[in-house]
Amino acid sequence: MDHPHHPTSSKVSSSSAEEINYPHDDDGWEDVEQDPADLQHIVCFFDEQVFPNLLAMLAHCKEAHNFDFVSKRDEIVTSFYGNIKLVNYLRQQTKAGKPVPHNVTRNDIEPDEFLTPVLEADEVLFNLDDIDEGKEQETHINGEQRIKQLEDELQRTQSQFMEYKLAVKKNFDERMKTDEAGLPQQVLQDDDSHYFDSYAYNDIHETMLKDSVRTDAYRDFVYENKHLFRDKVVLDVGCGTGILSMFCAKAGAKKVIAVDNSDIFIKALENVFLNGLQDVIKCCHGKIEDLDLQVEKVDIIISEWMGYCLLYESMLDSVLWARDRYLTPDGLSRPTALQPKPKILTQKSVIPSHMTLHVAAFADPEYIASHIHYWNSVYGFVMTSMLDGIYSNVKVLLIEPSKLASESEPILQLPLHTVSSKELDFSNPFSITLNKDIDALDGFVVWFDTFFTSSRKDLNPQNTRAENWPKGAPHGIAFTTGPHGTATHWSQGILLIDHGKTGPEPLKAGTQIEGQMSYKKTEENSREVEISVAWKYNGAEQKSQKWFVR
């Protein structure tokens, strides 16, 4: 998952739908016979008999199997999602060949795995509101009581069920803070809740899916390396809409565990169901660190965790935790004194496998004039108060290669098979040389390259650049978020330099800039990043500045 919601970057997308013209003449509709294809096919919970409606099926369950679904539901279900869980629990028990669970309890149906449909196109899930309509016919109560009952049922069942059918649920996390027994769960910290809430809505996922550089790279690597995925267990950390999980399932994975803690989880579950992949993909709601995935190890971990300037939002920490906890041991082989070379592995992987963070000099007098100097006189008025924060927050922009004043320098290498979380806070030196005369060093630019390799022997050498990676290379795929590549939703991170009262100075081509760049999580929010740079050139006094990715 990542982050088109950055305050300094906005993307607008629109969608359209075909106009559907419905007939306005209602005459004669009563005489039209119902198409047999439109009839319901309600399969019994405990045998293979099929019924024309839900109430008939439930009556059969009560008579033939001595299981009163309505009474059991009233006994153990306290929320709408409990209805869904109870249905899928019963289906799972039957699928496993177990006897009728007359003593099913609230705790039995508590796991979120029972939100996943067991039976493909299970019409019971789309007709649960029929139960209360049937109860209405059997109940004799006064008018006021019935009105109140109908209001409660409408709020509890019909409205929420429409949400489920459309996979539209905006407050799932908040509802799940209280379990079936009404016991309060641990409330997320503010930085976590804001982070996960930001991924609950369609727009951010539409932006990411339509980023063809990003999505095509994952798809192409998976489909071009089906031998890696065939009959393997895959863990998708931060699954979002489920797109990567579905790629892996189509590539032949035996099992895919899709994990997400945002509200988008319910839509991923529905997407999996709509594409008939529920027997392969298991959707799990929650933070990866808090879940019991009910597997000892996985063969492959796939994740789209990258943020602005690479490390914004700190999702990589969760991927590395999952790697250390779940990835098969031989997937993490390291050289030792008795094993001078790493074992070559073609089937145990973290995807993507390697990242490189780049820094370069930035010089764009047009941008400075348009966005900085502009506020000195706006229709004759001084509005420099609008510059507050301009030099302290990273600007997320797409820039032209001509705005670079140097070649880039790799500032950080991240081999995903071996890097540790503590290495994500770093301070590394860099040296860049200006390749043209400039009126001022306006700032620094950072971006990252992403590499997907099919073997540990193909770990990225230090100076490999994604824009030079040969297309169709047999050993993997790569893409860059830098100015020389096709634009992505990550853009580039611009660190504008505040020259203060002394102002900038012109620099000549060939000037060497020596510096030290540091990344660390902010004290206020562990998902935000503080970037610090100290630099000097031409023997001048060292300068330093810090910026925040928020």
Side-chain angles (χ1 to χ4, degrees):
M1 295 192 302
D2 35 53
H3 0 51
H5 55 275
H6 193 285
T8 60
S9 174
S10 62
K11 299 179 183 290
V12 179
S13 61
S14 62
S15 61
S16 61
E18 294 183 9
E19 183 178 355
I20 301 175
N21 295 316
Y22 295 99
H24 297 286
D25 185 1
D26 294 333
D27 294 341
W29 278 100
E30 295 82 3
D31 299 328
V32 177
E33 294 185 4
Q34 187 172 13
D35 189 335
D38 294 331
L39 293 174
Q40 296 176 9
H41 296 81
I42 306 292
V43 181
C44 177
F45 290 130
F46 311 116
D47 57 43
E48 296 181 354
Q49 292 196 50
V50 178
F51 299 84
N53 59 68
L54 178 59
L55 297 180
M57 188 273 281
L58 296 183
H60 168 76
C61 289
K62 188 173 182 180
E63 179 179 350
H65 300 283
N66 195 30
F67 187 89
D68 188 338
F69 178 87
V70 176
S71 296
K72 181 59 68 174
R73 184 198 70 164
D74 293 344
E75 175 187 342
I76 68 173
V77 170
T78 59
S79 72
F80 167 74
Y81 293 100
N83 287 287
I84 303 298
K85 290 179 177 182
L86 177 57
V87 169
N88 290 319
Y89 174 84
L90 297 177
R91 296 286 193 206
Q92 187 181 83
Q93 295 294 298
T94 300
K95 184 177 181 179
K98 297 181 180 180
V100 176
H102 294 100
N103 297 320
V104 57
T105 67
R106 185 176 299 162
N107 289 335
D108 291 331
I109 67 172
E110 183 176 2
D112 282 350
E113 67 180 277
F114 296 122
L115 286 169
T116 305
V118 175
L119 182 65
E120 183 176 359
D122 190 348
E123 295 196 24
V124 170
L125 298 176
F126 297 94
N127 291 276
L128 286 172
D129 43 357
D130 289 351
I131 297 175
D132 292 310
E133 292 176 5
K135 289 176 65 177
E136 177 184 354
Q137 297 172 4
E138 301 174 357
T139 305
H140 301 282
I141 53 178
N142 65 47
E144 291 185 2
Q145 289 175 317
R146 189 59 194 153
I147 291 173
K148 180 63 168 62
Q149 182 184 25
L150 287 172
E151 289 175 348
D152 292 343
E153 289 172 357
L154 180 63
Q155 181 179 7
R156 181 178 66 87
T157 304
Q158 293 178 322
S159 295
Q160 291 185 343
F161 186 59
M162 287 304 297
E163 292 183 62
Y164 181 83
K165 288 196 289 186
L166 298 175
V168 177
K169 183 186 67 60
K170 297 183 179 180
N171 297 301
F172 184 76
D173 284 338
E174 290 298 319
R175 295 177 185 175
M176 293 303 292
K177 286 176 186 175
T178 301
D179 66 11
E180 297 283 350
L183 300 175
Q185 303 296 301
Q186 182 179 5
V187 178
L188 294 171
Q189 296 179 357
D190 287 343
D191 46 356
D192 277 346
S193 60
H194 171 74
Y195 167 64
F196 290 116
D197 286 348
S198 68
Y199 285 94
Y201 309 107
N202 285 2
D203 289 354
I204 187 172
H205 294 281
E206 181 177 353
T207 296
M208 292 188 291
L209 288 170
K210 288 181 175 178
D211 183 342
S212 60
V213 172
R214 161 201 182 267
T215 310
D216 286 4
Y218 280 89
R219 179 202 61 191
D220 293 347
F221 180 79
V222 172
Y223 286 176
E224 292 172 11
N225 292 276
K226 291 183 179 180
H227 63 285
L228 297 180
F229 293 86
R230 190 174 297 115
D231 297 326
K232 296 299 184 291
V233 178
V234 180
L235 172 59
D236 181 358
V237 181
C239 67
T241 59
I243 186 67
L244 303 187
S245 294
M246 291 189 283
F247 287 158
C248 295
K250 286 293 188 181
K254 176 175 63 177
K255 182 176 185 179
V256 182
I257 304 169
V259 175
D260 207 296
N261 193 40
S262 80
D263 290 3
I264 199 65
F265 159 81
I266 197 69
K267 297 183 180 181
L269 185 152
E270 187 74 7
N271 290 338
V272 168
F273 175 70
L274 290 172
N275 287 279
L277 296 172
Q278 63 271 18
D279 289 338
V280 177
I281 301 175
K282 173 187 176 183
C283 296
C284 299
H285 179 260
K287 295 178 68 176
I288 184 66
E289 296 89 344
D290 298 336
L291 292 173
D292 178 3
L293 301 184
Q294 299 181 345
V295 296
E296 185 57 32
K297 295 295 178 183
V298 300
D299 301 303
I300 296 171
I301 293 177
I302 191 168
S303 179
E304 198 280 79
W305 54 265
M306 298 84 78
Y308 292 122
C309 303
L310 185 58
L311 296 180
Y312 174 63
E313 292 185 336
S314 300
M315 185 180 164
L316 180 54
D317 294 86
S318 294
V319 175
L320 298 183
W321 185 94
R323 179 202 66 186
D324 295 342
R325 167 62 182 85
Y326 288 109
L327 193 65
T328 50
D330 55 349
L332 293 173
S333 178
R334 293 183 173 90
T336 66
L338 298 178
Q339 182 190 344
K341 294 183 179 181
K343 182 180 179 181
I344 302 306
L345 297 167
T346 60
Q347 298 186 354
K348 310 296 189 293
S349 306
V350 178
I351 300 170
S353 54
H354 193 99
M355 318 296 297
T356 302
L357 183 65
H358 292 268
V359 61
F362 173 69
D364 187 353
E366 290 83 5
Y367 180 86
I368 299 301
S370 176
H371 296 276
I372 307 297
H373 298 161
Y374 167 78
W375 298 107
N376 293 331
S377 178
V378 181
Y379 289 89
F381 299 99
V382 176
M383 293 191 177
T384 51
S385 63
M386 306 300 291
L387 292 173
D388 287 349
I390 194 73
Y391 295 113
S392 60
N393 293 321
V394 173
K395 309 291 289 183
V396 177
L397 303 170
L398 287 169
I399 66 169
E400 297 294 329
S402 61
K403 309 306 180 183
L404 298 179
S406 73
E407 295 296 323
S408 67
E409 170 84 1
I411 193 68
L412 178 69
Q413 303 284 340
L414 289 181
L416 273 298
H417 295 86
T418 58
V419 70
S420 65
S421 289
K422 66 181 181 181
E423 295 176 75
L424 304 184
D425 282 2
F426 68 89
S427 181
N428 292 338
F430 68 89
S431 177
I432 52 180
T433 302
L434 297 184
N435 54 20
K436 61 182 178 181
D437 295 346
I438 56 176
D439 293 331
L441 177 63
D442 294 319
F444 299 99
V445 187
V446 293
W447 67 84
F448 61 89
D449 290 350
T450 302
F451 298 87
F452 303 76
T453 57
S454 56
S455 171
R456 292 285 297 278
K457 68 180 181 181
D458 294 322
L459 287 179
N460 176 47
Q462 171 113 357
N463 294 317
T464 300
R465 295 177 183 269
E467 62 261 31
N468 299 327
W469 191 271
K471 192 172 182 62
H475 52 285
I477 289 173
F479 69 82
T480 182
T481 63
H484 295 289
T486 303
T488 72
H489 75 278
W490 286 287
S491 303
Q492 295 90 46
I494 312 300
L495 286 58
L496 292 177
I497 293 175
D498 183 0
H499 291 286
K501 294 181 179 180
T502 60
E505 60 180 301
L507 297 173
K508 294 289 187 180
T511 299
Q512 191 168 3
I513 301 174
E514 303 286 346
Q516 188 86 10
M517 176 173 282
S518 303
Y519 269 51
K520 70 175 184 178
K521 299 177 180 66
T522 67
E523 295 180 0
E524 296 81 9
N525 189 327
S526 63
R527 296 192 179 276
E528 296 178 350
V529 178
E530 176 185 310
I531 303 176
S532 301
V533 179
W535 73 96
K536 62 181 180 180
Y537 47 78
N538 294 339
E541 182 180 353
Q542 178 174 282
K543 301 178 181 180
S544 63
Q545 191 174 328
K546 68 175 60 175
W547 300 261
F548 296 91
V549 191
R550 296 187 169 115

